[in-house]
Amino acid sequence: MTSSNLLHHGNTNKKRHFFCISRNLIVTLRPRFMTEKHIILEDIDPVAFYGVGNSHLQMLRSLFPKLRIMARDNVIRVLGDEEELCAYEESMEKMQQHLVKYNVITEEDILDIVKGRKTRESSAKDVVVYNLSGKPIKSRSHNQQELIDAYMSNDMVFAIGPAGTGKTYLSIALAVKALKEKTAKRIILSRPAVEAGEKLGFLPGDMKEKIDPYLQPLYDALEDMIPQAKLQDMIDKHIIQIAPLAFMRGRTLSDAVVILDEAQNTTPAQIRMFLTRMGWNTKMIITGDLTQVDLPRSHTSGLQQAMEILEGTKGIGVIHMDSKDIVRHKLVTRIVNKFQEYDDINKLNRNNDGE
């Protein structure tokens, strides 16, 4: 703390109070070398940080016996010996960084941090983020790694492949990583609101309740990577935006990771509109499965047309996934393969009939 950061209050007697105020830290120097600090937890879930039944706080109290540690909501108040408080503050910073990265922190992790021991590190360089259980989300196939690499080296990526290949999940993981590392200010997720063969008719409720069923797979992926309370806060603050494709018209999307899911169900006009929303410092990921087009037969898939038009364009990566990349139940791979065989036979028969 430099002298320029200190505000002096009171008269010239021996009992002076000093304090500084910053974005997330309030420090008060009390008489007799007692120091008080208020640490604000901003980017993490306080419940995860404090532990079940405040077990993590109890552990910190035992590890720093010269300090009085009190917590309320997202503010931790610490009072005590200045030297010990500095060590506590350093440990707190590392603990917060750990929780932001891994989504969980255990008592063993806290002990390692406070004692200065080496904490767990990922041995795989391709880890994207960690889910709420602290498990790494990373590529599980060659083409999934190709998607990660294409995202890193291009501003726009098309990820095409059958169901279960991790296109959407991995794309959202890359977006969450950008948000955590502050290389993007927001995530924008979109889908065309197209019925998958059924005629659902009138849906009750307000606009959000009508469109949420179409967007639920996006919520599912986010809820696996971001604590529920934090996710809701980000949605309320529009840091994470989830909306049907029709709501994208007229917008310029800057400083963001933008994902268009189920793009095979866009019309040529819709996907053209979406791709031209791209603003500065933005990355776009477009995912789709051309074997599951739910548009009326008379409509051309915008995804198919866009890929043909944009083929070879600099700055655009295209990744094709197949049944070998499927990470769902083993039956999904068999089902996809059988349907592909069926489609190939029908296509061959149609070609023979046309000769």
Side-chain angles (χ1 to χ4, degrees), residues 144-305:
Q144 284 192 358
Q145 185 60 47
E146 288 287 305
L147 172 56
I148 294 172
D149 295 341
Y151 170 85
M152 296 300 178
S153 56
N154 295 278
D155 288 335
M156 183 180 292
V157 178
F158 287 84
I160 314 301
T165 51
K167 306 181 299 296
T168 301
Y169 191 80
L170 194 56
S171 297
I172 291 178
L174 288 166
V176 171
K177 176 184 175 70
L179 207 59
K180 285 176 176 284
E181 295 179 350
K182 302 188 186 304
T183 57
K185 294 181 180 178
R186 54 186 176 157
I187 298 173
I188 300 171
L189 309 175
S190 187
R191 267 187 166 201
V194 176
E195 298 167 347
E198 307 97 328
K199 295 299 181 183
L200 301 180
F202 174 77
L203 291 175
D206 59 21
M207 181 61 73
K208 184 178 185 301
E209 291 170 333
K210 291 176 189 294
I211 63 178
D212 270 358
Y214 295 103
L215 306 174
Q216 191 58 49
L218 305 179
Y219 286 107
D220 291 343
L222 286 168
E223 288 170 356
D224 196 36
M225 304 175 202
I226 302 174
Q228 181 60 47
K230 186 65 178 177
L231 175 59
Q232 188 58 54
D233 181 60
M234 287 178 165
I235 292 174
D236 291 342
K237 292 178 178 177
H238 302 292
I239 296 171
I240 294 178
Q241 302 172 29
I242 307 175
L245 179 59
F247 289 14
M248 296 294 107
R249 186 171 294 280
R251 300 184 64 185
T252 299
L253 309 176
S254 301
D255 297 310
V257 178
V258 186
I259 299 172
L260 174 60
D261 194 35
E262 299 288 346
Q264 76 274 5
N265 290 327
T266 60
T267 65
Q270 285 176 326
I271 200 164
R272 181 174 181 176
M273 176 274 292
F274 176 82
L275 297 179
T276 54
R277 301 305 93 202
M278 193 172 193
W280 294 106
N281 190 37
T282 287
K283 284 180 175 282
M284 279 189 169
I285 307 177
I286 299 93
T287 71
D289 177 2
L290 290 170
T291 67
Q292 295 194 46
V293 178
D294 298 314
L295 295 169
R297 290 185 179 274
S298 59
H299 288 61
T300 301
S301 169
L303 177 61
Q304 180 69 59
Q305 186 182 89

Side-chain angles (χ1 to χ4, degrees), residues 335-352:
I335 291 168
V336 168
N337 288 335
K338 288 294 184 181
F339 271 95
Q340 186 61 55
E341 290 174 11
Y342 177 82
D343 291 341
D344 291 342
I345 292 172
N346 281 346
K347 183 177 180 181
L348 181 61
N349 290 337
R350 286 195 300 269
N351 290 339
N352 291 336

Side-chain angles (χ1 to χ4, degrees), residues 57-119:
L57 279 178
Q58 296 293 348
M59 184 176 186
L60 286 170
R61 290 180 181 126
S62 66
L63 292 170
F64 294 92
K66 296 181 182 179
L67 302 178
R68 289 181 59 197
I69 303 171
M70 297 151 282
R72 185 172 183 177
D73 297 328
N74 68 328
V75 180
I76 299 177
R77 180 175 170 231
V78 192
L79 175 66
D81 176 77
E82 184 174 0
E83 183 177 348
E84 179 127 335
L85 204 152
C86 288
Y88 172 82
E89 185 183 2
E90 183 179 345
S91 296
M92 278 285 294
E93 180 66 26
K94 291 179 180 178
M95 288 168 60
Q96 291 182 75
Q97 292 173 358
H98 183 99
L99 193 51
V100 166
K101 181 176 182 179
Y102 296 103
N103 279 318
V104 293
I105 188 166
T106 65
E107 292 186 0
E108 183 179 355
D109 294 327
I110 294 172
L111 193 60
D112 288 341
I113 289 170
V114 173
K115 298 297 184 182
R117 298 197 291 254
K118 186 176 180 180
T119 57

Side-chain angles (χ1 to χ4, degrees), residues 19-38:
F19 67 91
C20 69
I21 302 176
S22 64
R23 183 173 66 88
N24 63 349
L25 180 65
I26 302 174
V27 182
T28 304
L29 298 185
R30 292 178 175 271
R32 300 181 181 179
F33 306 102
M34 294 292 285
T35 304
E36 180 177 342
K37 292 188 178 182
H38 292 189

